[in-house]
Amino acid sequence: MQGQDLFQFDEKGVVRVVRFLVKVVLNGIILVPFLYWFAEVNFWTSVLTSLGLTVIAYLVGDQLILRASNNVVATIADALLSLVYLWAVAAFLDWPLSWGELLFTVVVLGVVEMFYHRYLGKVDRDSELQKS
């Protein structure tokens, strides 16, 4: 494989990158201000935390669970994953994040994930219709 082939995507690769970037933006819009406000962490720490959660949630929730199940199961899995991830990061970094603040953040993330998964399903159905 030549080095320049690494950066050439087929149509599915481009779609995956766009989906990931949409998830990065959505999670960032929620997590960065919430962590800044609730946990009193600096901007870059909240950005890195958001990126970490997004990578894990995209790989586990969107690439594995959503493909093998449905929107409801994937949304619940994403919310539980967010809860565990944010709790672990807060405990490890000794953030003053209360359970109420954590649950509120996870619920908001879960609602956004539900709409994100619906959007993905609609895009997939529309692209299947265009192919036929």
Side-chain angles (χ1 to χ4, degrees), residues 37-100:
W37 180 262
F38 292 145
E40 301 171 1
V41 298
N42 68 44
F43 175 77
W44 292 111
T45 302
S46 54
V47 167
L48 289 175
T49 303
S50 176
L51 284 174
L53 175 61
T54 301
V55 168
I56 295 168
Y58 181 78
L59 293 174
V60 174
D62 298 343
Q63 295 299 309
L64 295 175
I65 297 172
L66 184 59
R67 289 182 179 191
S69 63
N70 59 36
N71 186 13
V72 174
V73 173
T75 300
I76 292 170
D78 274 341
L80 291 174
L81 178 69
S82 298
L83 178 72
V84 170
Y85 175 83
L86 291 173
W87 172 80
V89 170
F92 181 74
L93 296 176
D94 198 30
W95 290 348
L97 192 62
S98 73
W99 279 103

Side-chain angles (χ1 to χ4, degrees), residues 3-57:
Q4 53 188 291
D5 291 339
L6 292 174
F7 299 104
Q8 293 179 355
F9 292 107
D10 61 352
E11 185 178 329
K12 286 184 179 181
V14 172
V15 169
R16 286 189 183 119
V17 169
V18 169
R19 288 178 176 191
F20 176 73
L21 292 175
V22 168
K23 190 171 185 95
V24 167
V25 170
L26 292 175
N27 281 348
I29 287 171
I30 297 164
L31 278 180
V32 170
F34 280 19
L35 292 177
Y36 185 79
W37 180 262
F38 292 145
E40 301 171 1
V41 298
N42 68 44
F43 175 77
W44 292 111
T45 302
S46 54
V47 167
L48 289 175
T49 303
S50 176
L51 284 174
L53 175 61
T54 301
V55 168
I56 295 168

